[in-house]
Amino acid sequence: PWLGLENFQKFFGSYYFAEVLRNTIVLNLLALCLSPLPIVLALMLNEVRSEKYRRAIQTMTYLPYFISIVVVVGMLKILFASDGAAMQLIYAITGTRPQLLAEARYFRGMYLMMEVWGCTGYESIIYIAAMSSINPECIEAACVDGANRFQRMIHVTVPGIMSTIVILLIMRMGSMLGSGYETILLMQTGLNESVSETIQTFVYKRGLQSSDFGYATAVGFFQ
């Protein structure tokens, strides 16, 4: 039988609608606030004069992007387990063992840490490529005018890549209802579900785990 808008009405009228929409927007807004980090990293790498040192830093910062997210989250769980190395260090400093991967109040911070560690280096490649197109004569003219390295960075390099920054910002704003659901799903527990359930994880659970394909499709279409 034809359901019409029944699945949409069911989702909009459910308790989950406000929760998953709020969690999705909050996580993406927090990730958006960290979007200047790749720009800062690219600016710093651009100022490194030692080619060998710069390549070493680039390799270390790019590498996490190419490691499977399942492996990365597995490493995170081992490090922050009750007997893990990171938890032992926290206990030595604070005298407490907080459940960083279980409690809801810590989830957003841990998720953002994963996003920064996994994506900052890779995203900086775009800005480094944009910097290579800046006319060297502009930099030379700034040197002749007496600008130091920081002033050249602010008044020459940043304006030179501003169009790239704006385009990537627009593209990021266009995916505000999307999220790194693989990371969220792997880090999700029953205790932090109230802040970690996003539209994509909700669609995955209802569609693939509960086999409610029509309802999950309607939620995905809304997204």
Side-chain angles (χ1 to χ4, degrees):
W2 172 247
L3 296 179
L5 299 177
E6 184 178 322
N7 283 323
F8 291 97
Q9 293 169 347
K10 181 180 175 182
F11 177 56
F12 294 150
S14 71
Y15 162 78
Y16 300 104
F17 174 68
E19 182 178 279
V20 299
L21 184 61
R22 181 186 67 248
N23 291 339
T24 302
I25 293 175
V26 168
L27 287 176
N28 281 285
L29 282 176
L30 291 173
L32 185 65
C33 292
L34 298 177
S35 58
L37 291 180
I39 303 172
V40 174
L41 177 61
L43 290 169
M44 293 173 65
L45 288 173
N46 191 54
E47 294 299 319
V48 175
R49 293 292 173 258
S50 172
E51 187 69 22
K52 184 177 180 181
Y53 185 55
R54 181 168 60 184
R55 287 183 181 276
I57 296 174
Q58 285 177 320
T59 301
M60 288 188 290
T61 54
Y62 298 167
L63 191 60
Y65 184 83
F66 298 100
I67 301 176
S68 169
I69 192 63
V70 178
V71 175
V72 174
V73 175
M75 292 167 57
L76 190 75
K77 289 182 177 180
I78 293 172
L79 285 172
F80 288 95
S82 57
D83 58 345
M87 190 57 67
Q88 295 288 357
L89 179 61
I90 293 172
Y91 179 74
I93 296 172
T94 64
T96 60
R97 297 180 187 272
Q99 299 298 314
L100 297 178
L101 296 177
E103 294 186 31
R105 56 178 172 166
Y106 298 120
F107 174 80
R108 288 169 181 164
M110 297 298 291
Y111 171 74
L112 292 177
M113 184 184 75
M114 290 284 293
E115 286 289 297
V116 170
W117 186 78
C119 301
T120 300
Y122 183 77
E123 290 178 0
S124 68
I125 296 175
I126 301 172
Y127 298 108
I128 292 174
M131 290 175 193
S132 65
S133 65
I134 297 174
N135 190 345
E137 293 180 359
C138 296
I139 300 174
E140 292 171 5
C143 292
V144 172
D145 289 340
N148 57 36
R149 292 176 68 175
F150 181 75
Q151 289 171 329
R152 294 197 299 270
M153 185 190 302
I154 297 299
H155 298 290
V156 178
T157 307
V158 172
I161 64 172
M162 188 55 68
S163 59
T164 303
I165 294 173
V166 171
I167 290 171
L168 292 178
L169 177 63
I170 292 171
M171 293 176 65
R172 190 131 189 182
M173 291 294 292
S175 59
M176 282 302 293
L177 289 184
S179 59
Y181 79 98
E182 300 97 337
T183 306
I184 296 172
L185 201 61
L186 291 166
M187 294 176 64
Q188 196 173 71
T189 66
L191 295 175
N192 63 28
E193 202 171 42
S194 61
V195 296
S196 65
E197 189 74 278
T198 62
I199 295 177
Q200 287 180 310
T201 59
F202 184 76
V203 169
Y204 171 80
K205 290 178 181 178
R206 294 302 295 262
L208 295 181
Q209 292 184 348
S210 301
S211 299
D212 193 352
F213 303 115
Y215 184 66
T217 302
V219 178
F221 184 78
F222 163 73
Q223 181 191 8

